[in-house]
């Protein structure tokens, strides 16, 4: 349900409250906010203790209209039949809503308590389950996976549990292997017989590449260490303590009350999809907004695991080169220059989802939808930025042309190679070229939009050992982008971050 539009004109005649509302996007209803407001305006603490939470709630209501408008627009842009969302502050669900249809054929409206599959957000539960077993002494992060997987072949000998969790193993993506896939039925023997003979996509630890296979294997490792099926372990050790009573692992034959129907857009019409494949640990949890808020509360309170385990899950993956990637253990992490957050997207057979948790302020957003696929994490982040504009990554300022003219030229050539899907090893570090040779790299090409640049302007360079992180402002066609590259001492591009500016608002005549 959407929150109605509300205005409070009389409140603006009360100067302290008006000031607090004006800055409430940067305040939280807690002691630190009270102290800050007292310092800013000189009002007694007993006054500001009352005003801060009141102002904060009113601002959330006012910005809720913008959230609803944005989500309705995104549903149209991404062809989402139905969507639910939740806004969580300090581990408490403060707002939720639902739009569209849970079932197109039956003309059933989507409601907040409808269940949707959360896809790869499941991976954070798998990582959490792993850390529970690490603390019980049943799994070691640096153990070779062959210790738990008797089917492992020689080419997996160097792969550790940490490599699987950090997505640095080099094992191929099973989704592209004949006979396997997200919507196929197969057993463990068929899976392992298909995967273990395959060569690695790249040497373990050379680079980072997202692969569902890593978390599929983690499910088998958890079963070996725990002595019970993976879904049972997660149900007993995570869902139950968190109070997630509606959350379950989906299988194709299950009848689940309140489950929204899943869809795939095929051209101009929707295809009905329901169910998932044969693996649980990489993406088959089904949940709703209330239960996901309970998961957020557990994480906010750092329950069940030690502080060290939480730190491990939310630490960047480290490659053999010493470079890091903004991925922890089942969590996307803050890219360079961004506000500290952890999150993940999910996309499965008929569903998409997003979950982001900003750490300062403690603001989380969950979105669940019933179509494959839209960028759930991006949608959730946009909602958070509407609620608190300070969370937006600041746009860097162009200061000059690159003082290293050769570098700027090579970076531009590297972008052109990436846009052409050409693994040019004279311009690109193996950290970039290795993932380009995998099946997953062919699924999309974000660099096509910057194949030809009209402008490249230097903003800054920051040393990382002998290498450097270099930030540019670039223009391609009529759009501007922020480009961040890791430029090695050998003069090659090892990592690339590309963020487009929002489209300009149409000018009013």
């Amino acid at each position: 349900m959407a929150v109605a539009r509300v205005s409070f004109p009389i409140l603006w005649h009360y100067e302290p409250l008006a000031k607090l509302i004006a800055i409430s996007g940067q305040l939280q209803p807690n002691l630190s906010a009270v102290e800050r407001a007292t310092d800013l305006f000189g009002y007694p603490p007993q006054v500001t203790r009352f005003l801060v939470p009141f102002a904060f709630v009113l601002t959330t209501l006012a910005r809720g209209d913008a959230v609803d408008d944005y989500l309705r627009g995104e549903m149209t842009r991404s062809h989402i039949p139905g969507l639910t969302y939740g806004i969580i502050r300090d581990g408490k669900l403060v707002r939720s809503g639902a739009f569209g249809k849970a079932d197109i054929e039956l003309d059933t409206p989507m409601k907040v308590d409808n269940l949707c599959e959360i896809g790869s957000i499941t991976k954070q539960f798998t990582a959490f389950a792993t850390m529970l077993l690490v603390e019980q002494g049943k799994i070691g992060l640096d153990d070779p996976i062959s210790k738990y997987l008797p089917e492992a072949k020689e080419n997996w000998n160097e792969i550790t549990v940490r490599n699987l969790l950090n997505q640095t193993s080099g094992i191929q993506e099973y989704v592209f292997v004949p006979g396997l896939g997200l919507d196929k039925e197969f057993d463990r023997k068929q899976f392992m017989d298909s995967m273990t003979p395959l060569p690695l996509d790249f040497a373990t630890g050379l680079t980072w590449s997202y692969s569902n296979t890593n978390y599929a294997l983690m499910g088998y490792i958890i079963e070996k260490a725990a002595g019970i099926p993976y879904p049972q372990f997660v149900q007993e050790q995570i869902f139950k303590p968190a109070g997630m009573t509606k959350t379950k692992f989906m299988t194709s034959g299950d009848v689940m009350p309140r489950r929204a129907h899943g869809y795939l857009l095929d051209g101009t019409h929707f295809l009905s999809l329901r169910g998932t494949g044969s693996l649980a640990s990489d993406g088959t949890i089904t949940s709703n907004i209330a239960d996901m808020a309970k998961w957020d509360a557990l994480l906010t309170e750092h329950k069940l695991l030690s502080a060290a385990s939480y730190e491990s899950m939310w630490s960047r993956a480290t490659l053999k080169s010493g470079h890091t990637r903004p991925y922890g253990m089942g969590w996307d992490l803050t890219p360079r220059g961004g506000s500290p957050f952890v999150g993940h997207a999910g996309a499965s057979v008929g569903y998409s989802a997003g979950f982001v948790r900003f750490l300062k302020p403690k603001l989380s957003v969950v979105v669940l939808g019933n179509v494959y696929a839209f960028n759930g994490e991006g949608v959730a982040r946009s909602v958070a930025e509407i609620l608190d504009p300070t969370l937006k990554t600041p746009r860097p300022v162009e200061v000059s042309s690159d003082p290293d003219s050769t570098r700027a030229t090579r970076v531009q050539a590297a972008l052109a190679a990436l846009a052409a899907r050409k693994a040019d090893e004279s311009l690109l570090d193996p950290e970039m070229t290795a993932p380009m040779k995998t099946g997953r790299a062919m699924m999309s090409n974000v660099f096509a939009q910057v194949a030809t640049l009209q402008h490249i302007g230097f903003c800054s360079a920051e040393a990382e050992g002998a290498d450097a992180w270099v930030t540019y402002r670039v223009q391609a066609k009529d759009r501007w982008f922020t480009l961040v590259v890791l430029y090695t001492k050998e003069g090659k591009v090892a990592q690339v971050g590309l963020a487009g500016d929002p489209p300009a608002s149409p000018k009013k005549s």
Side-chain angles (χ1 to χ4, degrees):
M1 60 182 178
V3 174
R5 295 179 186 272
V6 183
S7 62
F8 305 93
I10 193 170
L11 297 177
W12 295 100
H13 296 292
Y14 188 35
E15 183 185 13
L17 187 55
K19 289 182 177 180
L20 284 170
I21 291 175
I23 65 161
S24 62
Q26 302 176 42
L27 297 178
Q28 295 293 318
N30 55 28
L31 181 59
S32 61
V34 171
E35 291 171 342
R36 182 178 172 192
T38 301
D39 291 341
L40 281 171
F41 306 121
Y43 297 110
Q46 59 268 32
V47 174
T48 51
R49 283 182 193 280
F50 167 75
L51 294 178
V52 168
F54 189 30
F56 197 74
V57 168
L58 295 182
T59 304
T60 298
L61 288 171
R63 288 181 177 162
D65 291 329
V67 168
D68 287 359
D69 291 344
Y70 164 73
L71 289 174
R72 290 183 187 278
E74 189 58 39
M75 290 178 70
T76 300
R77 285 187 293 271
S78 299
H79 307 286
I80 306 169
L83 182 143
T84 66
Y85 74 93
I87 297 167
I88 306 159
R89 295 188 185 272
D90 291 314
K92 296 180 176 60
L93 183 64
V94 297
R95 176 185 168 91
S96 60
F99 308 101
K101 302 296 181 182
D103 192 302
I104 298 173
E105 202 168 16
L106 298 178
D107 195 30
T108 306
M110 181 74 90
K111 296 185 178 179
V112 173
D113 65 344
N114 277 123
L115 297 164
C116 291
E117 191 170 333
I118 65 173
S120 286
I121 297 174
T122 299
K123 291 179 173 65
Q124 56 197 235
F125 291 88
T126 300
F128 198 97
T130 302
M131 297 311 297
L132 286 170
L133 291 164
V134 168
E135 292 195 356
Q136 294 171 20
K138 296 178 180 179
I139 290 180
L141 289 177
D142 296 312
D143 287 346
I145 63 173
S146 56
K147 178 178 178 180
Y148 309 95
L149 302 173
E151 306 99 326
K153 302 290 194 227
E154 186 175 345
N155 63 337
W156 289 10
N157 283 350
E158 293 187 15
I159 301 171
T160 66
V161 171
R162 192 187 302 272
N163 290 135
L164 295 185
L165 293 169
N166 284 157
Q167 305 272 20
T168 59
S169 72
I171 298 175
Q172 292 190 31
E173 172 63 84
Y174 81 84
V175 171
F176 306 118
V177 175
L180 306 180
L182 293 178
D183 59 346
K184 299 292 193 299
E185 295 292 336
F186 51 84
D187 58 18
R188 172 172 174 158
K189 184 178 187 308
Q190 183 180 349
F191 179 81
M192 297 300 280
D193 285 350
S194 298
M195 295 304 304
T196 54
L198 298 177
L200 298 180
D201 275 338
F202 52 83
T204 300
L206 171 67
T207 189
W208 180 95
S209 184
Y210 190 91
S211 173
N212 287 290
T213 310
N214 291 319
Y215 278 77
L217 293 173
M218 279 310 312
Y220 295 147
I221 290 173
I222 288 168
E223 290 184 343
K224 173 70 172 178
I228 58 176
Y230 162 85
Q232 181 183 343
F233 182 81
V234 174
Q235 185 78 42
E236 293 176 356
Q237 300 294 319
I238 302 177
F239 296 166
K240 187 175 180 180
M244 300 171 69
T245 57
K246 303 298 182 182
T247 303
K248 298 178 181 178
F249 286 90
M250 182 188 287
T251 62
S252 57
D254 283 349
V255 174
M256 300 181 70
R258 307 299 308 150
R259 175 169 55 171
H261 204 106
Y263 298 95
L264 171 70
L265 184 67
D266 182 24
T268 59
H269 68 284
F270 289 103
L271 297 179
S272 176
L273 300 175
R274 192 153 222 178
T276 188
S278 303
L279 295 166
S281 52
D282 65 328
T284 63
I285 288 176
T286 302
S287 192
N288 62 15
I289 294 300
D291 268 16
M292 289 300 294
K294 293 174 183 177
W295 172 232
D296 182 83
L298 184 149
L299 298 170
T300 299
E301 297 171 19
H302 273 43
K303 288 184 176 180
L304 302 183
L305 290 175
S306 67
S309 291
Y310 276 98
E311 184 177 357
S312 292
M313 287 194 302
W314 294 336
S315 293
R316 296 165 71 94
T318 301
L319 308 179
K320 284 187 174 179
S321 64
H323 295 160
T324 63
R325 287 295 183 96
Y327 193 88
M329 298 179 178
W331 293 90
D332 290 323
L333 305 179
T334 311
R336 292 185 64 83
S339 298
F341 89 103
V342 295
H344 214 283
S348 58
V349 182
Y351 302 89
S352 297
F355 180 36
V356 296
R357 307 183 68 250
F358 284 91
L359 309 181
K360 292 182 181 180
K362 292 181 179 178
L363 170 64
S364 302
V365 178
V366 183
V367 294
L368 306 176
N370 60 339
V371 70
Y372 178 89
F374 65 90
N375 180 10
E377 183 180 327
V379 172
R381 288 189 65 177
S382 293
V383 169
E385 290 169 359
I386 291 170
L387 293 167
D388 187 344
T390 66
L391 297 176
K392 294 181 179 179
T393 301
R395 185 179 300 170
V397 177
E398 180 180 334
V399 295
S400 65
S401 58
D402 194 330
D404 183 342
S405 58
T406 302
R407 178 172 62 192
T409 301
R410 290 182 64 79
V411 166
Q412 192 164 352
L415 284 180
L418 290 168
R421 302 185 188 277
K422 182 181 178 182
D424 188 335
E425 296 183 355
S426 69
L427 297 167
L428 302 171
D429 186 85
E431 191 175 328
M432 286 294 295
T433 59
M436 293 177 69
K437 300 170 185 177
T438 70
R440 177 167 288 275
M442 303 305 293
M443 293 176 67
S444 65
N445 187 1
V446 298
F447 300 108
Q449 55 193 331
V450 289
T452 303
L453 297 182
Q454 277 72 55
H455 175 79
I456 179 167
F458 174 79
C459 298
S460 63
E462 180 183 348
E464 182 174 290
D467 306 327
W469 285 99
V470 191
T471 302
Y472 299 94
R473 289 285 291 166
V474 302
Q475 183 184 19
K477 297 182 180 178
D478 296 325
R479 192 175 184 191
W480 284 86
F481 299 82
T482 297
L483 172 70
V484 182
V485 301
L486 178 59
Y487 194 77
T488 70
K489 63 182 184 297
E490 292 83 16
K492 299 180 181 182
V493 172
Q495 294 183 33
V496 181
L498 185 68
D501 289 3
S505 300
K507 293 182 180 179
K508 295 182 179 179
S509 56

